[in-house]
Each structure stands twice: as C-alpha cells, then as structure tokens.
Amino acid sequence: MLILMADQMTPFALPAYGHRLVRAPFISRLATEGVVFDAAYCNSPLCAPSRAVLMSGLLPSATGAYDNAAPLAPDVPTFAHHLRMLGYLTVLTGKMHFSGSDQLHGFEERLTTDIYPADFNWTPDWDHPEVRPSWYHNMSSVIDAGPCVRTNQLDFDEEVVFTAERRIHDLARSADSRPFCMVVSLTHPHDPFAVPQRFWDLYEGVAIDPPRFIPSSEAIDPHSRRLRFVCAMDETPVSEAQVLRARRAYYGAISYVDEQFARVVATLRSCGLAEDTIIIILSDHGEMLGEHGLWYKMSFREGAARVPLIVHAPGRFLPRRVRHAVSLVDLLATLVELGGGAEPMVRTDGHSLLPSLRGDGGHDAVFGEYLAEGVVAPMLMIRRGGYKFIRSPGDPDQLFDLAEDPGEVSNLAIEPRFASLAGAFLEEIHRRWDVAALRRKVIESQGRRRIIDAALRRGHQHGWDWQPPRDATREYIRTHMDLDDLERNARFPRATGA
C-alpha cells in the first residue's frame, strides 16, 4: 500500500473533481483508472486532529486529539499498529503532525522529521476567545502569494520525496519479503502560497477563477466572524488582485504535488512494485480559497471539510465514482481489510469502504467534530443523504441541502418547512454527544497543556521532535563490508553477467 497525502488540498481545485483550469495530469490518470469518492470528508477540519482521526479511526472526542497541539495517546491503536500485526512493514515519510512524545504511533520506520513542532505551544484557549493567537494564520500567505526560488515547504517536501524514492529502491533490493504500507505525506499545497516559477508559469495567461460565493457583511455567520478574527482577515483586507494571485499560487502548488506524487509512483514502477501496490490519494482537509470570505480551513463548509479520496488498484477494483458520503475515519477499517484482516481489533467510529470499492453497497454518513480555534464550544456536524447539519452551542444551527445548494448559500435551519428535519438532526446530536461534558474536557485539556508548555520552556528544553536515526557506519562503502557483495546487492536489477 502506498498512501500519497497532501496537506490542505481541496478536491474542488482538482481536475479529477471537475476543475477546468488546474493541471494535475497524474492524479487525473489515477482517478480515471481508480475509484473516486465524490463526497469524502475530513472529520475535523484542522491538520493534527484530522490526521489523528485517519490514524486511529476514532473521532477527536474519543482520543483527546482535539487541536494542533493535542497528542494522540500512545495507547490508541492506529492503522500502522494493525498492519504490523498483519505482517506489514510500515513506513512514514513526511508530515503527520504528531504532538507529544510518541512520534511513531505504530510506524516501524519514520524517514524524516516533521515540518511542525511536537510541543504544546499551539494550544488554543477557549477561556480567552478575544485574544488572537500570535502564532496562528494571518493574511500574509495571501498578500505575499506568488513565485519563489525557495521556501521552507519546498525544502521539506523535496526531502520527503527523496527519502520515499530511496526507501522504495531499498525495498526492491531487500530480502525482506513482507508487504509494506508506506505513507508519503507532503506539506503542499498548504499555505503560504508560494511556488517555484515554473509552476507559477503554468498558469500564465490563464483567467484564474475568483471565489464564487462572497457573503455580505450582514450575512456572515458567527463562526465565520470568529475565524476572520482569529486569522486577522478583517484586520488585513486583501484586494481582488491578491485573491487571484493566491488562488493561482495554490493551483501551482497542486501541480507541484501532482509532479511529486508522479515521481514516487514512477519509482515504484521502475522497481517492479506498482502492479502489486494499492495507491491511495487523500488530504487531511481542504482550503477555502476565499469562498464565503474565508481562507484556510477550520470550518465545516464544503471547501474546508471535503477531501479528495482516490483508491487506485485496477487489478482489484473497477473504475467507478462513489457518490455517497464517507470520511477519513473509515480508512483504518478499510486498510485492515485490504491488508487481509477481518476487522479492527478495537472499536472504531468508522466503517470499511470495501463495499463501496467493490460497488456492492456502502454507508452514507459522516460525523464531524471541530474543537480548536474559532469556536468556544464543540462544533458538530452530520452529513447524510445530501443534507449537512452543523451545531455549535451559542451559534445558530445550520442546515444545507447540498444537492440543491452546493454553495451552501441558504441556511434551511431557519426555514419553517425544514423545522422537522433540523429538529431530527438536533435530536441526533444530543443522542451522540454530551456537548457540555465534551466542552469541559476540551477546556481542561487546554489548561493542562498550557501548564506543561510553560514549565517545559523554563531551563534546559528537551524537544519531542522526531530525529530520524542514521548510522553512517552502514552506509555506502565501509571497510568492514565485502565490496563485491555490497555492489551486487545495491544494484537493481541484479546484473546477469551476460
């Protein structure tokens, strides 16, 4: 299994999902040959909690991985643990945004450090919502969008792809006969929106599409108002030209991701491993790109909550598009079944996608929780049967008919004729969640982590950031190695002597 993961990549900017301007030929080809989930969602629209859901098959309320500085507990089994139990070699290279001391969570190997810190400094504070976090997003990513020679993110992703290619070569040359699951996780197209010149130039002369839905100031909902404050969107207004430049750079970043994914799979093919490998393309959450006056994520609006999900295994699953709603919480059970297991060894909040992959059924429901910046109480979401319901105490409920109103312009929760449906969703929210208790748990967790972070910043600091192990005495050519054996084993394919 090869899981190719992008960061903050909305499906609405992919040609495989209907975008006519963006160039991503590799992802498009895999989509044509694979199973495309047209209504896949993240369960918590923020990096770390979404990835914790992907790993564990559990919602944040079950694990305590609430935000970008909340750890996934080391006693929570992940899909990497499950696959190791099934005999797999599990490898991670790139971003996974694990906070806390466990930086492996079941992976046997981790080839790079993370791009983000593993400490608790990014802990939100629901007790002081009037204070904007100094370390959070601001509008510089939009204002400064454009071409570049080098960025922090380019440094990271090039290391990720290099280590992935190198490890694939090692797998091809290895005597280890175990099947593998490798996760290759890039940080693009996450902001800041800066891309190399040639990816910027792909869109030279292209009429970049502007955001389609810009609400009037009176129509902005309370949660969106808080997000605009948290990200300094009102403090730093952006021009139409800056919006279009940011969208152009984002499209360029998707083209960059497409090329990197293609490189990894080309290496897989050159080593003769592609035919026997299931390839999965996904993201942790989307990107609003100015829609509804918002940027980044942190919302259950479609642009932020929807993710691409493509499963490419032509010898196993016929090409098809799956219309019903699924989510990242379903991946653990799916990977276990793909790996030869019957079901997860522990309870999860997801369901296997194998029926959908085979075209013989599947579920149609998504449950979401957002417990981080921009709210002061849990924001909960249910998507089922074309309707999406969003509830956060203190805010007006929201109900959208995505079939009739894909832009989420009309809030049906205020319409008398939808009172019964909204009431049924609200009743289900109360059955599934003890919202008041969950809010208390989140605030208590935030308080504990702020104390720990403040304490650990005093005196000598010991970071949890992952340090990839390296033993130079076993690399390349060393005196204790037999040179002929070394060269013979390192060559792929092996020389035939002809």
Side-chain angles (χ1 to χ4, degrees):
M1 302 178 197
L2 176 64
I3 299 174
L4 300 174
M5 191 168 186
D7 191 347
Q8 205 161 299
M9 185 164 73
T10 178
F12 298 107
L14 289 174
Y17 287 84
H19 201 284
R20 297 182 179 181
L21 300 181
V22 177
R23 302 181 186 182
F26 175 74
I27 295 175
S28 296
R29 181 167 65 81
L30 262 60
T32 300
E33 299 171 352
V35 180
V36 179
F37 289 83
D38 281 328
Y41 287 80
C42 68
N43 304 90
S44 190
L46 193 65
C47 298
S50 180
R51 290 161 187 269
V53 171
L54 168 69
M55 293 295 304
S56 68
L58 294 168
L59 295 175
S61 58
T63 64
Y66 303 132
D67 54 61
N68 274 347
L72 177 64
D75 64 349
V76 176
T78 68
F79 73 73
H81 291 114
H82 281 81
L83 291 177
R84 285 181 77 168
M85 293 287 284
L86 292 169
Y88 274 73
L89 167 66
T90 54
V91 182
L92 167 64
T93 182
K95 176 181 176 179
M96 200 50 76
H97 207 154
F98 295 145
S99 293
S101 56
D102 188 348
Q103 290 293 305
L104 289 172
H105 285 292
F107 286 104
E108 184 173 343
E109 300 176 8
R110 187 169 187 182
L111 307 182
T112 71
T113 191
D114 210 302
I115 193 169
Y116 283 165
D119 59 34
F120 293 163
N121 185 242
W122 291 358
T123 300
D125 187 354
W126 283 6
D127 287 330
H128 297 93
E130 75 284 357
V131 178
R132 196 185 86 79
S134 61
W135 39 261
Y136 211 59
H137 292 268
N138 58 40
M139 295 309 289
S140 63
S141 291
V142 178
I143 292 169
D144 298 333
C148 66
V149 173
R150 206 70 193 162
T151 65
N152 187 39
Q153 292 182 233
L154 289 168
D155 290 344
F156 184 78
D157 280 351
E158 290 194 7
E159 181 184 2
V160 171
V161 173
F162 169 76
T163 55
E165 292 176 314
R166 188 171 191 173
R167 192 65 184 95
I168 291 170
H169 288 139
D170 288 343
L171 290 170
R173 297 179 291 194
S174 173
D176 190 341
S177 61
R178 290 180 294 170
F180 65 85
C181 176
M182 177 183 286
V183 178
V184 181
S185 183
L186 305 184
T187 189
H188 284 89
H190 191 290
D191 62 290
F193 304 128
V195 293
Q197 188 73 48
R198 78 181 170 89
F199 293 100
W200 176 262
D201 289 346
L202 286 176
Y203 299 92
E204 182 65 34
V206 175
I208 301 297
D209 51 323
R212 295 166 297 168
F213 307 105
I214 303 295
S216 64
S217 58
E218 307 81 46
I220 298 176
D221 63 273
H223 174 62
S224 296
R225 289 188 187 279
R226 288 192 298 271
L227 291 184
R228 292 186 62 82
F229 167 73
V230 167
C231 297
M233 296 180 199
D234 292 321
E235 180 182 319
T236 316
V238 294
S239 68
E240 182 179 348
Q242 289 169 328
V243 168
L244 296 180
R245 283 179 64 86
R247 288 170 71 96
R248 175 178 174 176
Y250 183 82
Y251 296 165
I254 288 180
S255 298
Y256 172 83
V257 167
D258 187 73
E259 186 172 289
Q260 306 318 303
F261 284 175
R263 279 181 55 187
V264 176
V265 174
T267 305
L268 202 70
R269 295 189 191 283
S270 69
C271 291
L273 299 172
E275 293 300 317
D276 195 32
T277 300
I278 297 169
I279 301 171
I280 301 174
I281 292 179
L282 50 79
S283 184
D284 53 353
H285 50 74
E287 159 63 55
M288 288 302 293
L289 282 179
E291 298 290 348
H292 295 280
L294 298 174
W295 292 86
Y296 318 129
K297 56 271 187 175
M298 306 163 286
S299 167
F300 280 118
R301 292 281 187 177
E302 289 287 277
R306 283 273 300 276
V307 295
L309 179 58
I310 300 168
V311 178
H312 181 270
R316 189 163 184 173
F317 306 118
L318 294 175
R320 62 171 50 87
R321 299 191 80 99
V322 177
R323 306 296 181 186
H324 48 260
V326 303
S327 63
L328 296 182
V329 79
D330 300 319
L331 264 292
L332 184 146
T334 305
L335 294 173
V336 167
E337 196 167 351
L338 289 173
E343 58 185 15
M345 294 176 286
V346 293
R347 180 196 71 82
T348 71
D349 291 323
H351 303 278
S352 173
L353 299 177
L354 263 291
S356 298
L357 291 169
R358 293 192 296 253
D360 58 6
H363 61 284
D364 179 21
V366 173
F367 302 96
E369 304 172 348
Y370 182 69
L371 307 166
E373 295 83 7
V375 293
V376 292
M379 185 165 68
L380 309 168
M381 183 272 284
I382 301 175
R383 160 74 203 266
R384 184 189 293 114
Y387 287 99
K388 181 200 291 182
F389 183 78
I390 303 169
R391 166 73 171 175
S392 186
D395 290 349
D397 293 338
Q398 294 177 298
L399 174 65
F400 299 106
D401 181 348
L402 298 177
E404 296 297 323
D405 179 25
E408 301 173 290
V409 174
S410 300
N411 180 12
L412 303 181
I414 61 175
E415 298 285 343
R417 60 195 177 99
F418 287 95
S420 177
L421 179 60
F425 273 122
L426 183 58
E427 182 181 348
E428 184 174 359
I429 293 276
H430 291 312
R431 285 200 313 268
R432 287 184 170 272
W433 287 279
D434 184 336
V435 181
L438 178 56
R439 183 177 187 273
R440 287 193 299 270
K441 286 172 57 179
V442 172
I443 291 175
E444 289 168 2
S445 170
Q446 292 175 355
R448 290 193 302 268
R449 285 180 281 137
R450 284 197 300 273
I451 292 170
I452 292 170
D453 181 66
L456 294 183
R457 290 182 181 280
R458 299 194 176 194
H460 186 71
Q461 298 184 30
H462 300 273
W464 292 318
D465 306 290
W466 176 247
Q467 178 66 51
R470 180 173 181 179
D471 183 359
T473 67
R474 304 180 64 83
E475 296 181 355
Y476 304 113
I477 298 171
R478 297 295 183 263
T479 302
H480 66 278
M481 302 176 181
D482 182 275
L483 185 58
D484 287 339
D485 287 345
L486 183 152
E487 298 291 10
R488 185 183 307 111
N489 293 334
R491 181 167 173 171
F492 183 85
R494 296 286 178 88
T496 61

